[in-house]
Amino acid sequence: MNFKDKVLIVTGASSGMGKSCCELLLENEAVVTGIDINDGTIEHKHYSHCKADVLEEKQIRKCISEIDSKYGHIDGLVNAAGIFGNNKPFYELTGEEWNKVISVNATGTFIVSKAVSPAMIREKHGKIVNISCIRSTIYKNNMADYAASKGAVASMTSAMALDLAPYNVQVNSVAPGFIYTGMTAASFDIPEVRAKSEALIPNGRLGMPKDIASVVLFLLSDMSDYVTGTMLFADGGYHIQK
């Protein structure tokens, strides 16, 4: 996979899977701009950081416009910004709690993709990779808000792929399983929780952010030119276990 001089944008770039995607792209000689509500955490000559909220459309349009003006093209986008649900039964969720999860995970993906699409349409070239989740199709108690948000990402991916297909832009999503990140460490660092989780995974281990980043890189590369509108599970086989 050759990413030399390709211009990539990654949201949620300051931590977790988003940061890992940035780092792996940089290792493969890409030019990367991270977008995050927090300050940047990566130091690299080919990395720049845009501190912005994915729900603030004016901020996002400004950031994307500056990238496009600087490089003249945008080759790919990774929508990795997201938050967890509130861990409550749906009937106990407030409207505010529900709306926040849906907004960040689904609407944020829409806003950034909408801002990037004109540059890709103009060049008739591009890749968009959205981070969904196994919870978009495999459900668990107290996750209605999160499952709905990630299900929306999965459905939106296919709809976006159809809209952009005439312009040679491929849109796909990745569905991570149990991934060890800064956000999940508090839970997975409990030995009993980790053991119980790993017992459900045919591969026998938790995933790491780089496991997801590797799948994302495939979907951003020329090797995936005939793949669009699909969701790839990256879960160690969790979705096929009985």
Side-chain angles (χ1 to χ4, degrees), residues 183-200:
M183 294 177 69
T184 62
S187 177
F188 288 138
D189 281 344
I190 301 171
E192 309 86 67
V193 173
R194 182 165 188 147
K196 184 177 179 180
S197 299
E198 290 183 333
L200 297 172

Side-chain angles (χ1 to χ4, degrees), residues 61-157:
R61 285 203 307 265
K62 181 176 184 292
C63 178
I64 301 303
S65 178
E66 290 174 353
I67 297 167
D68 191 25
S69 295
K70 181 176 181 179
Y71 298 107
H73 60 101
I74 297 172
D75 298 293
L77 165 67
V78 181
N79 285 302
I83 59 174
F84 283 137
N86 292 281
N87 197 31
K88 293 180 181 180
F90 78 92
Y91 48 82
E92 292 182 4
L93 289 168
T94 66
E96 183 179 0
E97 289 171 332
W98 169 270
N99 288 334
K100 183 176 181 180
V101 176
I102 298 295
S103 294
V104 175
N105 293 350
T107 306
T109 295
F110 158 72
I111 287 172
V112 183
S113 299
K114 178 186 174 184
V116 167
S117 292
M120 295 182 174
I121 290 170
R122 182 191 70 227
E123 299 297 320
K124 290 186 169 51
H125 164 78
K127 307 274 188 175
I128 297 176
V129 181
N130 301 322
I131 302 299
S132 182
C133 181
I134 55 171
R135 297 305 176 200
S136 62
T137 59
I138 304 170
Y139 310 110
K140 184 181 177 183
N141 292 352
N142 301 334
M143 296 189 77
D145 50 355
Y146 188 71
S149 72
K150 291 301 187 177
V153 170
S155 297
M156 183 166 48
T157 295

Side-chain angles (χ1 to χ4, degrees), residues 5 54 127 133 162:
D5 299 326
V54 295
K127 307 274 188 175
C133 181
L162 285 175

Side-chain angles (χ1 to χ4, degrees), residues 36-48:
D36 201 289
I37 198 168
N38 298 307
D39 292 332
T41 56
I42 296 174
E43 295 289 338
H44 192 285
K45 64 180 180 180
H46 290 143
Y47 179 80
S48 59

